[in-house]
Amino acid sequence: EDKVVQSPLSLVVHEGDTVTLNCSYEVTNFRSLLWYKQEKKAPTFLFMLTSSGIEKKSGRLSSILDKKELSSILNITATQTGDSAIYLCAAALGSGAGSYQLTFGKGTKLSVIP
Amino acid sequence: NAGVTQTPKFQVLKTGQSMTLQCAQDMNHNSMYWYRQDPGMGLRLIYYSASEGTTDKGEVPNGYNVSRLNKREFSLRLESAAPSQTSVYFCASRGQLNTEAFFGQGTRLTVV
């Protein structure tokens, strides 16, 4: 059974702290790993990672994939109250030419307090 | 561009009633998905369609049916709603190979 596990499930930090969110996967036909941020409604896309060891950055957020360890981390530096959200990671699975199924973890609920 | 459009946004059903959730995307994507989201459970895949004319079960398909009507539309049907199907339902679509998935705004369904 394909499985994506995120930790911690919830986290409370103060503004300015740095946080690291973890995602591990045990899946067949792994193609890529995706990170999403969910505030009130639909998840919004953050990063997609396909190659091990290559960091992706966007402002204060960065993420990296380790295919040997079957895991990924999402780092947020200098957190702000606007970073409060549920962070979801998903493994894209597939065979042949395409990657079809997207399996999500349970998410990490991040709360940033002033 | 509208992206992924879901209707309705809210629905209350009585146990045993049926209904269809509609989803349409205008990005010419091949793959479409239906998820449900319950507190503390993340997004659980109900059904997906890798391309027009194909559908496959996900993690929690029981009690649901889907139809990939054409490349744009992917509907989810509850034949006989149960309180356990109270949830927020998200539709998503994705282009081929390694690309991000785009989500609709969700349908909040309550079964009483």
Side-chain angles (χ1 to χ4, degrees):
Chain A
E1 182 187 333
D2 298 319
K3 196 163 57 171
V4 176
V5 178
Q6 292 186 244
S7 64
L9 292 181
S10 67
L11 189 55
V12 180
V13 301
H14 287 95
E15 265 191 319
D17 287 351
T18 292
V19 298
T20 298
L21 310 183
N22 301 288
C23 177
S24 64
Y25 58 91
E26 286 181 40
V27 301
T28 52
N29 295 316
F30 174 82
R31 290 298 179 124
S32 59
L33 192 123
L34 296 91
W35 284 97
Y36 284 83
K37 178 181 182 183
Q38 186 178 27
E39 294 177 88
K40 299 209 169 153
K41 290 197 173 177
T44 54
F45 175 73
L46 293 174
F47 299 110
M48 184 175 69
L49 306 156
T50 55
S51 302
S52 242
I54 298 175
E55 186 182 51
K56 292 223 173 168
K57 288 196 76 165
S58 177
R60 297 176 292 102
L61 277 67
S62 63
S63 184
I64 196 162
L65 177 66
D66 186 336
K67 282 186 175 180
K68 190 176 173 186
E69 296 295 326
L70 306 181
S71 66
S72 174
I73 60 171
L74 174 69
N75 283 319
I76 308 174
T77 59
T79 51
Q80 303 171 355
T81 54
D83 295 325
S84 296
I86 296 173
Y87 290 84
L88 297 161
C89 89
L93 322 175
S95 58
S99 55
Y100 305 122
Q101 193 167 338
L102 278 179
T103 298
F104 280 83
K106 291 184 178 181
T108 293
K109 184 176 180 180
L110 174 65
S111 301
V112 181
I113 52 179
Chain B
N1 279 344
V4 180
T5 304
Q6 283 182 240
T7 54
K9 289 188 170 51
F10 300 95
Q11 184 72 50
V12 179
L13 287 179
K14 293 184 179 177
T15 298
Q17 286 185 317
S18 62
M19 80 161 294
T20 300
L21 279 63
Q22 307 286 354
C23 176
Q25 52 91 9
D26 60 4
M27 296 173 282
N28 201 36
H29 285 168
N30 287 313
S31 300
M32 296 186 74
Y33 308 84
W34 276 105
Y35 291 92
R36 62 177 288 174
Q37 187 172 37
D38 303 294
M41 298 296 290
L43 289 167
R44 292 187 291 170
L45 183 63
I46 306 171
Y47 273 91
Y48 68 102
S49 171
S51 60
E52 186 179 355
T54 69
T55 60
D56 286 283
K57 293 179 181 179
E59 183 187 351
V60 288
N62 291 345
Y64 305 96
N65 285 303
V66 289
S67 295
R68 185 74 184 265
L69 304 167
N70 46 55
K71 192 169 187 180
R72 289 188 63 246
E73 298 171 287
F74 188 40
S75 62
L76 177 72
R77 182 157 178 85
L78 287 71
E79 290 292 350
S80 179
S84 61
Q85 293 178 304
T86 292
S87 189
V88 179
Y89 291 84
F90 286 101
C91 175
S93 73
R94 192 159 180 252
Q96 237 179 5
L97 298 179
N98 286 324
T99 56
E100 70 191 85
F102 293 83
F103 284 82
Q105 288 303 300
T107 296
R108 185 173 292 276
L109 175 68
T110 302
V111 183
V112 297

